[in-house]
Amino acid sequence: MCQKGGEIVDILVIIPAYNEEAVIKNTVTNLMKTCPYDYIVINDGSTDRTLDILKENQFHYLDLPVNLGIGGAMQTGYRYALQKGYQYAIQLDADGQHNPKDLENLVSEIKNSGCDMVIGSRFVQKTDYKGSLFRRMGILYFYYLLYMIAGIKITDPTSGYRIVNRKVMREFANYYPVDYPEVEVLAKLAKKGYKIKEIKVDMNARQGGKSSITPLKSLYYMTKVTFISVIRSIFYKEEKSSWEKSR
């Protein structure tokens, strides 16, 4: 944590970035202009100029020497947030899809609602978001999957725009799925009794670069997440955090 203008900042924005040279400067600059919170970019073993841009602009970052995937990058961010004493952590995608203007609403909701996680949703209320039919079908599929295995209704289960409290940070520091983590972690948290809520956010189209998720990867994603989520929901056992034991 740090002090800004005499106030203690207890919120960290985590920005996982892999080969985002086309957008990372604008994403971080817009964030710094919009909100007063601390941030950390997790450079996930990028092979383009992402790291050079972070250095040139003196942005705050951690550099992973190899690509760990979104799960490894976010787990690094959560562990960093715990070590530094932050009470809340927010995931903000590097590609510019997450609008930093919605950050205040996410923060206000988690502080006032008593929830452990608040998700920025494109569907809990009507927004201007227009995704492909295939993407919308996938989101609807995971909506029903989560309802069947965990008993929760999340309209935008694949949204990565999320804020969590320190209790959830401990969970994520101990274990976070390697890839495609959004749905699996919701099932796990719901089964453990954590409170999850959605609020409306406006998401942008990707502001540059290219998505790594192809139609083939999307099919793999749906199959893998379904299998893992169902298995974990059946055989789930209460875990003790080895991370917390070491603290």
Side-chain angles (χ1 to χ4, degrees), residues 186-199:
L186 288 177
K188 178 178 180 179
L189 292 179
K191 295 291 282 186
K192 295 193 76 168
Y194 287 97
K195 295 179 181 178
I196 304 169
K197 184 176 182 178
E198 292 181 284
I199 64 169

Side-chain angles (χ1 to χ4, degrees), residues 17 19 29 31 38-40 44 46 60 64 66 70-71 84 92-94 99 101 130 136 151 160 190 192 196 213 245:
N19 289 350
T29 301
L31 174 68
D38 291 348
Y39 73 90
I40 190 74
D44 188 22
S46 297
H60 303 155
L64 301 179
V66 295
I70 181 65
K84 297 298 182 181
L92 184 83
D93 286 355
N99 192 333
K101 291 181 179 178
K130 290 187 176 36
R136 284 178 173 268
K192 295 193 76 168
I196 304 169
I213 301 179
K245 286 179 182 178

Side-chain angles (χ1 to χ4, degrees), residues 9 22 29 48 61 65 68 72 74 87 104 113 132 151 153 155-156 165 180-181 190 199 219 235 243 247:
V9 178
T29 301
D48 65 358
Y61 70 90
L68 298 182
M74 284 306 301
Q87 299 302 307
E104 288 292 345
S113 67
S132 67
K153 294 182 178 180
T155 66
D156 200 353
N165 63 17
Y180 311 119
I199 64 169
L219 290 173
F235 297 103
W243 172 258
R247 299 303 296 155

Side-chain angles (χ1 to χ4, degrees), residues 100-118:
K101 291 181 179 178
D102 289 310
L103 285 169
E104 288 292 345
N105 293 331
L106 290 168
V107 171
S108 176
E109 191 64 40
I110 199 168
K111 287 189 173 183
N112 295 324
S113 67
C115 289
D116 301 294
M117 171 187 280
V118 176

Side-chain angles (χ1 to χ4, degrees), residues 14-21 24 40-52 54 60-77 91-94 176-181 212 217:
I14 303 169
I15 308 173
Y18 176 64
N19 289 350
E20 297 288 3
E21 64 179 5
I24 190 62
I40 190 74
V41 179
I42 311 297
N43 179 47
D44 188 22
S46 297
T47 57
D48 65 358
R49 293 196 68 254
T50 298
L51 180 58
D52 293 332
L54 295 173
H60 303 155
Y61 70 90
L62 295 176
D63 183 39
L64 301 179
V66 295
N67 176 241
L68 298 182
I70 181 65
M74 284 306 301
Q75 187 176 43
T76 299
Q91 178 178 339
L92 184 83
D93 286 355
Y176 204 76
V178 175
D179 55 3
Y180 311 119
S212 62
K217 284 186 177 181

